Amino acid sequence: VIPERPGPCAPEPNAPPPLGLPVSMGVRAALELAAGHVAASTPGQIWVTGEVTQVTRSPAGHLYWTVLGDGARLACSALGLDARRVLEALAGANVALVEGLALRMLGILAVYVPRGSVELRVSAVDPRTALGAHELARRQLRAALACEGLDRSQARLAPAPAPLAIGIVAPAGAGLADLVGLLDASPWAWSIRTAEVSAEGSVASARIAAAIPAAAAGADLVVITRGGGAGIALPYDAEVVARAVCRCAVPVVAALGHTHDRSITDEVAWRSVPTPSAAAALLCALIEAADAAIVETTQAIALAVEGRLDAVERNLDAVEAAIARELAVAQARAERPEPARLAQVVSAGSPAGEAARLRRIALVCALVALCAIVVLAIVVGLR
Amino acid sequence: VSYASDLAALEALRARLESDTELSVEALAAIAARADQLGARARATLRAARSSPAPSPPRAANS
């Protein structure tokens, strides 16, 4: 048995034990001893970088998480104002303290006695480095698609005038049932082709990518959806799926059900909606718009024809009125003598007119008598 | 015959109405009747009842 020397939890009133012998102490005292050594041997604040996991927040507003790196893990905490400062710094960089985030933190190493663990008491973070490996991969993929001109290929597509032929890529489950059920309940004549593809497992993304062109064949529009649940958004961030969406010849609607994290599929799709129900509403709205276009066009034609016929009718009314006026004038003319004729009649009945007539008769008689005398003279002469 | 072709025919009728100002009454009446016919058929296309169930999913995608 190794002799002991008294420690803080087992005080011995006598003289201190000889140096080199073990000291007897309680758990808290041992940890407080360690805490003292840690505090004394670390150079104040230090920068530590690691990958965030196990984030929790207490009701009092304190933050606790763990960082991983180099095959080790380190508990971290930010208390009170420090917690608020950390969150504000990350929000300023448009990132959240979430699993997978690569974070550089400033703090002091300390022993948390109640748990017997060493932790980093964080007072600040460097938001410039706050980028998770997954997010980094997403950004690189986004940049690659943009460089190839694929990221806007879906946005440039126009849907069919009435996209009734729908291809659906989804795992079997509630999400698919919701979408198909809502479409079936609508008044529109959908032609639905479904490719049931699991969104879980290591080959999920490859299966989803292969199902997209299959669903698009003969379809006006493709819907990629899932049934919900956490942690299965990963296949929709896969490059192979994003490229299949970008290359799809018909518009793709992404309805992947996660409202906080937009996947690459959401970003490159023609439209992104949060849920299968929202996708059904979008499709129904497209057909309602098509129906309204028909109504609007037929009404416009009917109004135009009506306007033209009204114009013709107005012209006919005008012609009819003109004819009526002419008839009235003609009738009035028939019922009273024309002024010229009346003047002629009036002129023929006057004394001057009678004298002229008598002069014309006398002149004719004189000419006849002259002719008779000439004929008589000729006859006498011949005899 | 499809919704798109009916819509295109309606648009053509509309364009003819806007461009041709010398249409006779008979032509106007014919256009109105044709528009009614096309509109009714296009709307019926959107609402046509499904006569057969949706085709089975392409299992090849799952294999």
Side-chain angles (χ1 to χ4, degrees), chain A residues 161-162 164 184 187-190 192-197 207 211 287 290-291 293-298 300-301 304-305 308-309 312, chain B residues 3-4 7 10-11 13-14 17 20-23 25 28 31-32 35 39 42-43 45-48 50 54-55 57-59 61-62:
Chain A
L164 287 166
D184 281 341
W188 313 117
W190 305 107
I192 299 172
R193 180 183 177 88
T194 303
E196 291 182 9
V197 184
R207 285 179 174 170
I287 305 304
D291 191 48
I294 291 292
V295 171
E296 188 269 334
T297 307
T298 51
I301 290 172
V305 168
R308 299 280 285 273
L309 290 176
V312 169
Chain B
Y3 169 90
L7 180 61
L10 279 170
E11 294 291 356
L13 289 178
R14 190 178 189 175
L17 269 174
D20 191 344
T21 57
E22 302 297 327
L23 289 169
V25 171
L28 289 171
I31 287 174
R43 298 190 73 196
T45 301
L46 297 179
R47 290 176 168 79
R50 281 183 288 271
R59 295 295 173 191
N62 292 338

Side-chain angles (χ1 to χ4, degrees), chain A residues 114-130:
Chain A
R115 285 192 184 172
S117 62
V118 175
E119 67 175 24
L120 184 70
R121 293 186 180 154
V122 177
S123 56
V125 295
D126 183 357
R128 294 170 300 178
T129 60

